[in-house]
């Protein structure tokens, strides 16, 4: 049995996987983000790489000298903004890019309040009242590619197709399931 | 460019609770150093999300761009290093130098039996 720290599909290794743009180049994505004045939504289903892309955009923006603030929400809440967000929002540089993961878990008043910020990038499962930067999607081919990046020869294309279907296209869950093979 | 270095006296990497971890932490950056810190910490890895506990931190005062400092920690009573089916718990020394995200890490085993506990 492989020790969990050495398992090629442990959570730490999954989190280090880079986002793989499907049907668009990384530079094309950044050009579109610039054209949208850093005001955009990343739209896609569970396990399709929305958060991974958001984190990579945060790093890229920081490297370009643009300040950022990142806030997470993964459960539905009340009508107000989460109290834990207030210090970040109250001290936010007006030129900073505000990144919100789980935008559609927020109430309508909270989303309306956040949209007042000039530069806002969010992840959401459905269209938001923001221009769509990209619709993230998955495929058996993507799953095959990512799995074999973590462990050469981990799965073949047929297994990837079956695993992709079993997990309803959720690539994150499909990769996590491979943990038990090691 | 940044170069970070961690060395433990005698090259030892296995310790029992109460032992001293002593060595040298060094760094070389091409810009002024804002902070240099050394942490003795444990972290989990495996099927679930990572958990981290910092046992002790040393902050090196007024760090110049190039330096090497002596450090010493006392290993706490626990938790022991272990591996099961779902989780490994690993102890580490972690040197972090800012600006930037320069990190040097060295894994240790903390156990009264000279090896990690197998569950």
């Amino acid at each position: 049995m492989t020790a969990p720290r050495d398992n090629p599909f442990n959570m730490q290794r999954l989190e280090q996987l880079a986002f793989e743009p499907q049907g668009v180049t990384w530079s094309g994505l950044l050009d579109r983000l610039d054209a949208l004045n850093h005001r955009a939504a990343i739209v896609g289903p569970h396990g399709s790489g929305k958060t991974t892309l958001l984190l990579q955009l945060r790093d890229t923006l920081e490297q370009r000298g643009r300040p950022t603030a990142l806030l997470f929400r993964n459960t539905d809440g009340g009508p107000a903004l989460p109290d834990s967000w207030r210090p970040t929002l109250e001290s936010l540089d007006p030129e900073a890019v505000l990144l919100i993961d789980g935008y559609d878990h927020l109430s309508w008043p909270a989303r309306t309040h956040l949209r007042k910020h000039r530069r806002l990038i969010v992840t959401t499962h459905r269209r938001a009242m923001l221009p769509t930067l990209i619709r993230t999607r998955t495929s058996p081919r993507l799953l095959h590619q990512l799995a074999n990046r973590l462990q050469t020869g981990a799965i073949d294309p047929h297994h990837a197709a079956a695993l992709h279907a079993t997990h309803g296209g959720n690539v994150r869950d499909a990769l996590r399931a491979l943990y038990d093979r090691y | 460019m940044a170069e970070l270095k961690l060395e433990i006296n005698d090259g030892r990497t296995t310790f029992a609770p109460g032992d001293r971890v002593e060595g040298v932490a060094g760094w070389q950056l091409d810009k002024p150093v804002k902070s240099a810190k050394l942490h003795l910490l444990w972290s989990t890895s495996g099927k679930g999300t990572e958990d981290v506990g910092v046992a002790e931190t040393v902050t090196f005062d007024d760090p110049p761009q190039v330096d090497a400092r002596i450090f010493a920690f006392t290993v706490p009573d626990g938790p022991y290093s272990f591996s099961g089916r779902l989780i490994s718990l690993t102890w580490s020394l972690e040197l972090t130098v800012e600006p930037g995200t320069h990190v040097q890490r060295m894994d240790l085993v903390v156990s009264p039996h000279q090896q990690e506990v197998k569950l």
Side-chain angles (χ1 to χ4, degrees):
Chain A
M1 182 184 80
T2 306
R5 73 170 67 84
D6 301 321
N7 190 305
F9 295 94
N10 73 28
M11 187 59 77
Q12 292 66 40
R13 296 195 185 185
L14 297 190
E15 288 175 351
Q16 286 167 11
L17 277 175
F19 179 76
E20 287 291 333
Q22 303 290 293
V24 61
T25 63
W26 182 247
S27 63
L29 203 58
L30 294 176
D31 288 346
R32 176 161 170 74
L33 187 61
D34 285 340
L36 295 172
N37 293 316
H38 302 98
R39 198 169 167 77
I42 300 165
V43 185
H46 290 284
S48 61
K50 299 184 300 298
T51 302
T52 304
L53 173 57
L54 190 71
L55 294 173
Q56 279 182 236
L57 287 176
R58 187 264 311 265
D59 292 347
T60 301
L61 292 168
E62 291 276 349
Q63 284 164 13
R64 290 176 164 189
R66 173 78 66 184
T68 66
L70 176 65
L71 296 167
F72 289 90
R73 186 75 176 176
N74 54 17
T75 54
D76 290 336
L81 287 166
D83 286 340
S84 60
W85 287 18
R86 295 201 177 277
T88 300
L89 293 173
E90 285 168 10
S91 63
L92 194 61
D93 179 339
E95 293 303 309
V97 180
L98 179 60
L99 304 133
I100 306 287
D101 190 28
Y103 182 70
D104 47 357
H105 287 298
L106 295 165
S107 66
W108 177 79
R111 295 196 304 267
T112 302
H113 178 80
L114 290 170
R115 282 201 306 275
K116 291 175 185 166
H117 191 74
R118 190 171 161 197
R119 295 187 171 87
L120 175 67
I121 306 174
V122 305
T123 67
T124 173
H125 295 113
R126 50 187 176 272
R127 282 189 65 185
M129 291 180 69
L130 289 164
T132 299
L133 173 65
I134 185 174
R135 285 186 176 277
T136 54
R137 57 179 191 270
T138 68
S139 64
R141 184 171 171 272
L142 175 66
L143 175 58
H144 180 251
Q145 186 181 339
L146 294 175
N148 287 291
R149 187 174 301 162
L150 290 165
Q151 177 68 36
T152 304
I155 52 173
D156 61 32
H158 296 296
H159 186 189
L163 200 57
H164 187 264
T166 300
H167 292 277
N170 186 325
V171 164
R172 181 184 56 231
D173 283 356
L175 290 171
R176 288 187 69 183
L178 289 170
Y179 178 98
D180 296 325
R181 294 183 60 190
Y182 292 87
Chain B
M1 276 296 290
E3 194 174 326
L4 276 62
K5 187 175 74 171
L6 275 175
E7 285 181 6
I8 297 178
N9 294 351
D10 304 327
R12 191 177 160 197
T13 56
T14 301
F15 298 87
D19 283 354
R20 297 278 284 172
V21 183
E22 298 175 336
V24 176
W27 58 89
Q28 179 174 337
L29 263 66
D30 56 6
K31 57 181 78 171
V33 174
K34 185 176 160 193
S35 72
K37 294 180 181 179
L38 182 64
H39 310 279
L40 175 64
L41 56 86
W42 57 263
S43 60
T44 62
S45 53
K47 197 167 185 179
T49 51
E50 184 182 41
D51 200 4
V52 177
V54 178
E56 200 173 337
T57 297
V58 171
T59 302
F60 298 114
D61 295 328
D62 304 318
Q65 280 182 229
V66 181
D67 203 3
R69 303 279 181 100
I70 293 170
F71 67 83
F73 292 114
T74 299
V75 176
D77 291 340
Y80 298 158
S81 303
F82 72 83
S83 272
R85 178 74 192 103
L86 297 177
I87 293 175
S88 293
L89 185 145
T90 307
W91 278 89
S92 307
L93 283 172
E94 192 174 278
L95 174 64
T96 58
V97 180
E98 296 180 317
T101 50
H102 306 296
V103 178
Q104 178 74 25
R105 190 168 176 149
M106 177 183 284
D107 288 346
L108 311 174
V109 172
V110 171
S111 165
H113 317 296
Q114 300 296 307
Q115 58 185 356
E116 77 169 356
V117 176
K118 301 286 185 191
L119 299 180

